[in-house]
Amino acid sequence: MIHSGSCHCGGVRFTVNYEPVELTTCDCSLCIKRNALMVKVPEAALSLQKGHALLATYEWNSRKAKHHFCRQCGIYVFHRKRAAPDHFGVNVFCLDGFDVGSLPVRATKGKSMSVVSDAPRDEWPGPRTPGLNNDN
């Protein structure tokens, strides 16, 4: 089944050609602040239809995860996953008409992943690993 999605302003539009079986939350410092509820989809299942130039990317820590949001309205739409780089986490609330209550929610343990930074912030949970010479 193909699910259509967009940011709030509609400038970024995408489709997900995948039938999710669960939703996920994450307890890392970023997901907690954005209150993320996501659908994990294989890379090939996500297709950007419109708004590539509107996408901004936030990277921090190991820089393996790529968090994409709309420059115009600020909504987080999806991110390339650090622990599964061949998958995306898609903001389930960006999927048009998706019944959020139809799937179970599984909590993932992002705060147990290492913080790779020479100057980590105190509020970033996880074991410390020096190495990238950045502080965010």
Side-chain angles (χ1 to χ4, degrees):
M1 179 174 214
I2 297 178
H3 300 278
S4 296
S6 71
C7 62
H8 185 258
C9 71
V12 175
R13 295 218 43 94
F14 60 93
T15 58
V16 173
N17 189 2
Y18 184 75
E19 196 55 44
V21 296
E22 67 181 3
L23 304 176
T24 59
T25 61
C26 176
D27 62 1
C28 81
S29 59
L30 179 59
C31 287
I32 288 294
K33 287 200 181 270
R34 70 176 175 213
N35 196 25
L37 183 58
M38 301 158 285
V39 172
K40 181 180 174 182
V41 302
E43 179 178 27
L46 179 68
S47 177
L48 187 60
Q49 305 297 310
K50 173 184 168 188
H52 190 273
L54 286 176
L55 279 181
T57 302
Y58 178 64
E59 300 173 327
W60 72 286
N61 195 16
S62 69
R63 304 238 189 277
K64 290 181 182 176
K66 313 290 185 204
H67 306 270
H68 304 289
F69 59 95
C70 176
R71 292 179 194 277
Q72 199 160 273
C73 66
I75 296 297
Y76 150 69
V77 285
F78 50 83
H79 75 283
R80 181 171 299 279
K81 299 180 75 58
R82 174 182 174 183
D86 57 342
H87 283 74
F88 284 96
V90 175
N91 180 350
V92 70
F93 297 113
C94 288
L95 296 176
D96 302 334
F98 192 86
D99 181 5
V100 177
S102 67
L103 295 175
V105 178
R106 180 176 57 89
T108 61
K109 302 292 181 195
K111 72 179 175 183
S112 64
M113 295 178 81
S114 63
V115 175
V116 183
S117 176
D118 289 333
R121 294 178 64 188
D122 290 340
E123 61 268 25
W124 294 350
R128 290 357 194 185
T129 305
L132 285 182
N133 251 348
N134 64 54
D135 62 357
N136 58 8

